């Protein structure tokens, strides 16, 4: 049989499903999850008929069903959800009895031990009864799937149980013929737990009634077709003698005696870090699937020990205040019915994810340095250390106590990659920022030459368009004599495009960007600069003229020149003056 790893993965999704209200259909994830479990169960029972069923696989399915039930219990699932989960636990218990009985029966038959073979047959009969009862309950649950009501399909399992029952009745007859039918009894389990149901079967040929004796307890049983049976749960530990006394025409007869050793019920402790990371949460149950109510526990961590009791659902909670990871032990010392148990796990205190975001504030063409702004989410509220890396190598360490910080990175003559690393502490998880690529500005002589040329252009633009004409807005003013002295012709700028190209080329050189940079990419590069809004206005006017073919009026061109002048002056000297 294939492993049930897929089922275990689906189990995780059930922990976040909101509880269904009483009487309403269960949600789709439950339908998918339990449908998978039914398919695995059917595959295992098919192996019983084929003679290759594995007890290990049956134990694994029972473990999955138990884990599902207690996980849902710990997340306070609704009663109908828990009832369905318990039904699957009972289903897998029955399957385990069938698989274990069928596997052991073959070994007993091959060795000729017919009394033991009858005991294994009784185990299978017990399992069949459990499976049938569980399937009846499971088939009645409704699920809301794709807006309609659906039910789990148990038909395949029902048919398999019928075939298994038919096959084992045939084996039972074969065993009786081989052993010779005589007055005898046998039990489905010779070493049960306290409170566990045990079926006592017997053969009483030619007898009308029998009295069954279990220790000091006796019960009168009817005989049907030469057989009788009785289900009993032993109330305490110890060794019990079980036998029957039957009556027929020749008098009273005593059967063989079977010794039943009743053991304390094993206890399982399952616990871990609570969902809110404030302590440990867990539950205690016995091997029969029953929660231990008001069970005394001892919880130990470090040098601290604390006593707690489980609630009526077998759950417990212990808050832990620790600054670092610590191992936690939970001990149960047992009682007359339940065995001692213990469990341990590592508790890790709550740590918060930290987000680090970097962005370039400016790259100065004169100082040759880049200013990087950083943000921390959430604000640390205490001093933390951040390591700055440039081109993959450690550059410096910052100590930050607020949500924002600033870095100054020398640009040099080539691009650099910058990121920040936080190593983590007891409050915050380790984190790493985004990686910034910083492009160096122009070399000093080029910066000076560009500054002078753009300053002259800006001055001439202001001289040309510094005053508005009192005439029609469509008429472009002639430059005054001062402008003519600089050698400028009338209507030096006849379109917005000419103005934008001048600014575009200047900013490309200022930032060292490639000629393939688009206007919108250039706008994004300078969006955080003081002249960002003016550049957006100029870019929009340029796009209207170039891409939409709307020829700008003379007044619009003059406005574009004034906007371009502000952009250039701010870009070159705005942050330096």
């Amino acid at each position: 049989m294939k492993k049930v790893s897929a089922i275990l993965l689906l189990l995780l999704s059930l922990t976040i499903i909101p509880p269904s209200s009483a009487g309403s259909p269960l949600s789709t994830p439950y339908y998918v999850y339990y449908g998978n479990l039914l398919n695995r169960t059917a595959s295992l029972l098919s192996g019983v008929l084929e003679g290759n069923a594995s007890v290990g696989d049956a134990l694994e399915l029972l473990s999955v069903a138990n884990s599902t039930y207690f996980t849902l219990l710990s997340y306070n699932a609704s009663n109908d959800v828990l009832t369905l989960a318990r039904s699957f636990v009972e289903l897998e218990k029955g399957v385990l009895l069938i698989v274990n009985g069928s596997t052991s029966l073959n070994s007993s038959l091959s060795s000729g031990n017919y009394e033991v073979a009858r005991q294994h047959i009784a185990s299978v009969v017990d399992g069949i009864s459990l499976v049938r009862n569980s399937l009846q309950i499971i088939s009645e649950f409704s699920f809301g799937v794709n807006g309609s009501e659906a039910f789990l399909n148990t038909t395949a399992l029902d048919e398999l149980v019928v075939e298994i029952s038919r096959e084992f009745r045939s084996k039972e007859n074969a065993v009786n013929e081989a052993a010779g039918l005589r007055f005898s009894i046998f039990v489905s389990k010779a070493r049960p737990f306290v409170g566990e149901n045990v079926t006592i079967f017997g053969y009483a040929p030619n007898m009308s009634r029998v009295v069954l004796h279990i220790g000091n307890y006796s019960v009168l049983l009817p005989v049907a077709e030469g057989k009788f049976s009785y289900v009993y749960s032993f109330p305490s530990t110890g060794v019990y003698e079980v036998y029957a006394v039957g009556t027929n025409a020749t008098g009273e007869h005593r059967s063989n005696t079977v010794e039943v050793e009743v053991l304390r019920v094993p206890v399982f402790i399952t616990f871990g870090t609570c969902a809110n990371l404030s302590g440990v949460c867990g539950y205690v149950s016995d091997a029969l699937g029953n929660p231990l109510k008001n069970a005394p526990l001892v919880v130990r961590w470090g040098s601290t020990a604390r006593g707690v009791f489980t609630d009526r659902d077998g759950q417990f909670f212990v808050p832990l205040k620790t600054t670092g990871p610590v191992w936690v032990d939970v001990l149960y010392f047992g009682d007359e019915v339940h065995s001692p148990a213990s469990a341990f796990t590592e508790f890790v205190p709550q740590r918060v994810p930290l987000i680090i975001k970097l962005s370039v504030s400016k790259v100065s063409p004169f100082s040759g340095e880049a200013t990087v702004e950083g943000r921390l989410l959430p604000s640390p509220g205490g001093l933390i250390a951040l390591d700055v890396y440039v081109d993959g190598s450690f550059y410096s360490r910052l100590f930050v106590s607020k949500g924002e910080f600033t870095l100054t990175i020398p640009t040099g003559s080539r691009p650099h990659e910058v990121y920040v690393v936080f190593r983590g502490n007891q409050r915050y998880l380790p984190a790493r920022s985004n990686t910034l690529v910083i492009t160096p500005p122009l070399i000093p002589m080029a910066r000076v030459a560009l500054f002078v040329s753009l300053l002259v252009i800006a001055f001439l633009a202001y001289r040309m368009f510094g005053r508005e004409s009192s005439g029609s807005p469509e008429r472009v003013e002639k430059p005054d004599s001062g402008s003519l002295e600089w050698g400028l012709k009338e209507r030096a700028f006849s379109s917005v495009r000419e103005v934008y190209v001048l600014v575009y080329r200047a900013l490309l050189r200022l930032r060292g960007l490639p000629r393939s940079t688009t206007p919108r990419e250039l706008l994004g590069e300078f969006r955080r600069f003081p002249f960002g809004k003016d550049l957006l206005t100029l870019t929009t006017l340029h796009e209207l003229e170039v891409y939409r073919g709307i020829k700008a009026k003379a007044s619009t061109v003059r406005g574009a020149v004034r906007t371009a002048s502000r952009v250039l002056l701010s870009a070159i000297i705005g942050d330096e003056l």
Side-chain angles (χ1 to χ4, degrees):
M1 173 184 170
K2 297 180 180 179
K3 298 296 181 182
V4 293
S5 57
I7 295 178
L8 293 174
L9 289 175
L10 281 170
L11 171 61
L12 298 178
S13 67
L14 296 184
T15 63
I16 59 174
I17 299 172
S20 301
S21 58
S24 62
L26 302 181
S27 56
T28 301
Y30 288 107
Y31 182 80
V32 175
Y33 175 76
Y34 284 119
N36 257 304
L37 199 54
L38 283 179
N39 291 337
R40 298 294 185 184
T41 304
S43 176
L44 183 57
L45 289 183
S46 295
V48 172
L49 295 172
E50 296 167 2
N52 58 5
S54 166
V55 175
D57 289 338
L59 286 170
E60 187 174 8
L61 278 180
L62 178 58
S63 175
V64 169
N66 271 319
S67 298
T68 302
Y69 172 70
F70 288 114
T71 299
L72 293 171
L73 181 65
S74 65
Y75 278 82
N76 298 317
S78 59
N79 289 332
D80 52 349
V81 171
L82 292 177
T83 300
L84 177 63
R86 283 193 295 268
S87 299
F88 269 88
V89 172
E90 293 301 309
L91 171 66
E92 302 308 339
K93 283 182 181 178
V95 170
L96 177 60
L97 286 174
I98 293 174
V99 173
N100 185 59
S102 64
T103 304
S104 303
L105 175 62
N106 295 331
S107 175
S108 300
L109 290 176
S110 62
S111 62
N113 192 338
Y114 299 112
E115 290 299 327
V116 175
R118 286 173 174 172
Q119 179 175 315
H120 295 320
I121 290 174
S123 176
V124 173
V125 172
D126 266 2
I128 290 173
S129 177
L130 264 179
V131 169
R132 280 177 170 162
N133 293 337
S134 302
L135 289 177
Q136 177 63 36
I137 297 173
I138 290 169
S139 64
E140 295 173 354
F141 277 86
S142 63
F143 301 82
V145 180
N146 298 327
S148 60
E149 190 177 40
F151 295 87
L152 290 172
N153 187 356
T154 62
T155 303
L157 276 169
D158 290 329
E159 293 175 353
L160 284 169
V161 170
V162 170
E163 291 185 31
I164 291 172
S165 179
R166 184 184 303 116
E167 178 176 317
F168 276 85
R169 279 200 302 270
S170 174
K171 288 185 177 182
E172 181 184 13
N173 293 333
V175 168
N176 291 336
E177 290 178 4
L181 193 60
R182 65 179 186 274
F183 186 31
S184 59
I185 65 167
F186 49 95
V187 295
S188 61
K189 194 170 186 179
R191 301 185 70 199
F193 303 129
V194 174
E196 183 177 10
N197 287 338
V198 177
T199 302
I200 304 171
F201 287 85
Y203 292 96
N206 303 320
M207 294 185 183
S208 57
R209 67 175 189 173
V210 297
V211 176
L212 182 64
H213 298 273
I214 308 171
N216 296 325
Y217 174 76
S218 301
V219 58
L220 178 64
L221 300 176
V223 178
E225 297 180 358
K227 301 177 185 178
F228 63 91
S229 66
Y230 186 70
V231 178
Y232 185 74
S233 59
F234 294 85
S236 60
T237 59
V239 178
Y240 293 77
E241 287 190 350
V242 180
Y243 64 92
V245 175
T247 304
N248 60 12
T250 61
E252 290 187 345
H253 303 273
R254 175 171 171 156
S255 72
N256 60 306
T257 299
V258 177
E259 287 190 349
V260 177
E261 182 182 4
V262 182
L263 309 175
R264 287 196 289 180
V265 184
V267 171
F268 303 103
I269 301 175
T270 304
F271 79 106
T273 301
C274 300
N276 60 4
L277 303 177
S278 62
V280 291
C281 304
Y283 46 84
V284 183
S285 63
D286 62 24
L288 304 178
N290 304 310
L292 264 64
K293 305 176 182 179
N294 302 317
L297 306 175
V298 175
V299 182
R300 302 186 306 194
W301 68 96
S303 59
T304 304
R306 178 178 174 182
V308 296
F309 286 87
T310 59
D311 61 16
R312 62 181 183 180
D313 296 318
Q315 301 183 67
F316 66 92
F317 164 70
V318 179
L320 296 181
K321 294 182 179 180
T322 175
T323 58
V326 62
W327 284 98
V328 182
D329 295 283
V330 177
L331 307 175
Y332 172 66
F333 294 101
D335 56 25
E336 294 180 354
V337 175
H338 299 97
S339 299
S342 64
F344 63 91
T345 191
E346 184 180 23
F347 172 77
V348 179
Q350 180 179 10
R351 292 204 292 174
V352 180
L354 188 67
I355 299 174
I356 309 173
K357 293 184 177 181
L358 300 182
S359 60
V360 177
S361 174
K362 68 176 181 179
V363 179
S364 173
F366 287 94
S367 64
E369 293 180 336
T371 301
V372 177
E373 294 181 351
R375 292 189 62 194
L376 298 175
L377 298 174
S379 179
L383 199 64
I384 64 172
L386 301 177
D387 293 336
V388 182
Y389 285 80
V390 178
D391 297 331
S393 300
F394 177 79
Y395 176 73
S396 65
R397 173 165 289 183
L398 294 176
F399 291 93
V400 180
S401 60
K402 298 182 179 180
E404 297 182 354
F405 61 91
T406 302
L407 297 172
T408 301
I409 306 294
T411 55
S413 59
R414 63 184 181 86
H416 299 285
E417 291 186 350
V418 179
Y419 61 89
V420 172
V421 174
F422 173 60
R423 302 296 178 184
N425 58 19
Q426 294 175 355
R427 183 175 181 183
Y428 296 103
L429 294 169
R432 171 175 167 161
S433 73
N434 55 308
T435 300
L436 284 182
V437 178
I438 299 177
T439 304
L442 301 177
I443 59 176
M445 289 302 295
R447 288 202 300 269
V448 173
L450 180 61
F451 168 72
V452 173
S453 63
L454 293 180
L455 186 59
V456 170
I457 294 171
F459 172 75
L460 294 179
Y462 268 103
R463 287 289 300 273
M464 285 185 61
F465 303 108
R467 294 177 296 173
E468 290 288 338
S469 171
S470 59
S472 170
E474 296 299 326
R475 182 171 61 86
V476 180
E477 290 184 344
K478 293 183 179 180
D480 58 19
S481 58
S483 298
L484 292 174
E485 290 175 0
W486 288 94
L488 291 176
K489 296 181 180 180
E490 185 179 4
R491 294 180 61 87
F493 296 100
S494 60
S495 67
V496 172
R497 182 179 183 279
E498 294 178 12
V499 180
Y500 179 79
V501 168
L502 175 66
V503 174
Y504 172 80
R505 291 175 178 173
L507 293 181
L508 287 185
R509 294 185 63 193
L510 178 65
R511 201 62 181 266
L513 299 174
R515 295 293 295 271
S516 59
T517 304
T518 66
R520 283 289 166 175
E521 289 174 342
L522 183 67
L523 184 62
E525 193 73 24
F526 290 98
R527 68 185 184 279
R528 295 175 61 88
F529 283 65
F531 57 84
K533 291 185 179 179
D534 282 334
L535 183 58
L536 173 60
T537 300
L538 192 60
T539 303
T540 304
L541 291 173
H542 169 258
E543 291 174 341
L544 288 173
E545 185 176 273
V546 174
Y547 299 121
R548 297 188 62 180
I550 302 175
K551 184 171 179 57
K553 297 180 181 180
S555 59
T556 304
V557 176
R558 288 196 301 274
V561 172
R562 285 192 294 273
T563 303
S565 300
R566 289 195 300 269
V567 170
L568 293 175
L569 286 174
S570 179
I572 301 301
I573 63 174
D575 292 332
E576 302 297 333
L577 296 180

